[in-house]
Amino acid sequence: MRKKSSYLLLLPLILFISLGCASSGLLGDKENETPIKAADSFYKMLMWKYYDRAGAFIHPEYLGTYEHFVKKNKDDLNITSYEIRELTPLETENVKKMEKMEVKVNLTFYRYPSITETSVETTDLWIKSNDAWFVKKDFSKDIFNTEN
């Protein structure tokens, strides 16, 4: 009898944890199913230096420049914050399909040995392919270009 009552006491806790995980996306929510989710996940992963995971959002055409960027900047570039400022759908044959999007984002970063933060705004092209969103960004240009 005691075992049954202790299991019944655990049931609300298990339900609470399960519902919390489901609502937070830990139980299978796709990170790149919408452009805002994809962009938010991508910039968050860059900020936390999860470069392998961020690479999943890179369009295959730009993986080479992304890999070069990672190799060159993984120790020195520190993104301290980002803010997605604007999403602009681009014209397509069927507007309801929404297959291309420009994402304007403000990035704040510093690069060692300096600790002075710099803020820049950049606009990235995101495209939908196979029901997922990918960024088409040439990482050899823009703020990520460390060659002066």
Side-chain angles (χ1 to χ4, degrees):
M1 185 84 156
R2 282 193 139 172
K3 281 189 173 187
K4 276 188 178 180
S5 62
S6 63
Y7 289 128
L8 289 175
L9 290 174
L10 287 176
L11 185 62
L13 179 63
I14 292 169
L15 283 173
F16 178 75
I17 292 171
S18 298
L19 289 173
C21 289
S23 67
S24 70
L26 293 176
L27 296 178
D29 190 23
K30 289 185 178 180
E31 292 176 320
N32 59 352
E33 68 185 11
T34 67
I36 190 69
K37 281 183 183 180
D40 185 56
S41 294
F42 172 71
Y43 295 115
K44 190 178 294 173
M45 289 179 201
L46 276 184
M47 184 174 75
W48 291 108
K49 296 188 174 193
Y50 296 139
Y51 296 120
D52 288 344
R53 291 182 65 194
F57 293 93
I58 306 297
H59 189 274
E61 185 179 330
Y62 292 93
L63 274 175
T65 62
Y66 176 73
E67 289 169 357
H68 180 72
F69 154 75
V70 170
K71 196 179 299 183
K72 190 171 188 174
N73 295 293
K74 65 181 175 186
D75 296 327
D76 297 334
L77 181 65
N78 298 286
I79 298 172
T80 56
S81 67
Y82 69 94
E83 179 184 5
I84 297 173
R85 308 282 299 201
E86 185 179 324
L87 281 86
T88 307
L90 300 177
E91 288 186 32
T92 60
E93 291 177 16
N94 183 352
V95 176
K96 289 185 179 183
K97 275 188 159 182
M98 194 171 63
E99 295 172 337
K100 291 183 182 179
M101 179 79 63
E102 280 188 345
V103 176
K104 191 179 288 186
V105 62
N106 188 42
L107 294 161
T108 304
F109 69 98
Y110 65 93
R111 185 176 288 115
Y112 288 132
S114 174
I115 56 170
T116 303
E117 286 188 325
T118 304
S119 290
V120 294
E121 188 172 84
T122 185
T123 302
D124 298 331
L125 174 65
W126 286 78
I127 63 160
K128 188 173 185 179
S129 177
N130 297 327
D131 294 325
W133 286 89
F134 299 94
V135 64
K136 289 184 89 172
K137 181 176 186 70
D138 184 355
F139 284 87
S140 65
K141 297 184 169 85
D142 221 76
I143 65 162
F144 303 117
N145 186 358
T146 57
E147 294 177 10
N148 293 323

